[in-house]
Amino acid sequence: MKKSIVLLSVLLSASAVEASQPAPQVVVARTTIQAFAKQLGGELKMAMKAGGPVNAIGVCNVKAPKIAQETNKEGSAKISRTSLKNRNADNAPTDWQRAVLLKFEERKAAGEDVTKMEHSEVVGDQFRYMKAIPTAEICLKCHGANIAPKIAAKLDKLYPEDKARGFKKGDIRGAFYVTQPK
Ligand code: HEC
């Protein structure tokens, strides 16, 4: 399906950042995000193809955390996703993540390109990295303001405290979060 290919490339382009001399941990963080996004994009694509977005919800809400778990097993870097308006309560931001997400919103308001927005910081013995996730057209099916009744009904059932709706194209949907030992 065309739309899912768009979704895949959106997820992939999230990791195509260039900077002159990134720290080695930044390179690891970007690679980890790329692997995660590629796998999630692939699963979503298959699910959409097999049964449309209603089916994709069912696959996604099980697969996303599982893929994160598998990605996390491979190295010392740990990946997750978070958002100021999270769908899954497990993805609610910590205070530190919330502060970065709010800063991302400020940077966007000041005209910065969301697709290239990232932040890294050493906190205690941890290297923390966050990368903004832009909202694409395809995401609106499940995160927009006018979600089809069938999809909305399923989301209501799975996520009674869902906050991840009402997004517009170009909004910051959330961020990837990667931690590594310093
Ligand atoms: C088929 C419906 C569907 C589509 C399309 C979709 N999502 Fe989601 N999204 C979900 C579901 C369901 C969850 C909750 C996953 C979980 O339980 O971990 C979610 C969670 C997320 C999260 C984790 C934070 C949170 O809110 O819990 C982010 C970030 C996210 N989606 C971004 C996107 C982006 C960006 C796109 C478009 C490229 C997109 N989604 C397209 C259904 C969808």
Side-chain angles (χ1 to χ4, degrees), residues 92-160:
T94 62
D95 288 347
W96 186 87
Q97 289 172 332
R98 180 184 304 279
V100 175
L101 286 165
L102 289 170
K103 207 78 200 162
F104 279 174
E105 293 293 346
E106 276 177 31
R107 286 163 62 176
K108 175 175 180 284
E112 195 177 324
D113 182 355
V114 173
T115 63
K116 298 198 169 121
M117 207 175 278
E118 50 185 352
H119 172 83
S120 47
E121 197 178 316
V122 173
V123 180
D125 56 3
Q126 212 175 37
F127 182 88
R128 297 180 180 177
Y129 173 93
M130 265 170 83
K131 171 151 189 43
I133 305 173
T135 307
E137 186 78 41
I138 184 75
C139 318
L140 303 181
K141 271 197 185 333
C142 297
H143 295 295
N146 298 303
I147 299 175
K150 257 194 177 164
I151 301 173
K154 184 145 185 191
L155 291 173
D156 287 342
K157 220 168 116 189
L158 287 168
Y159 307 96

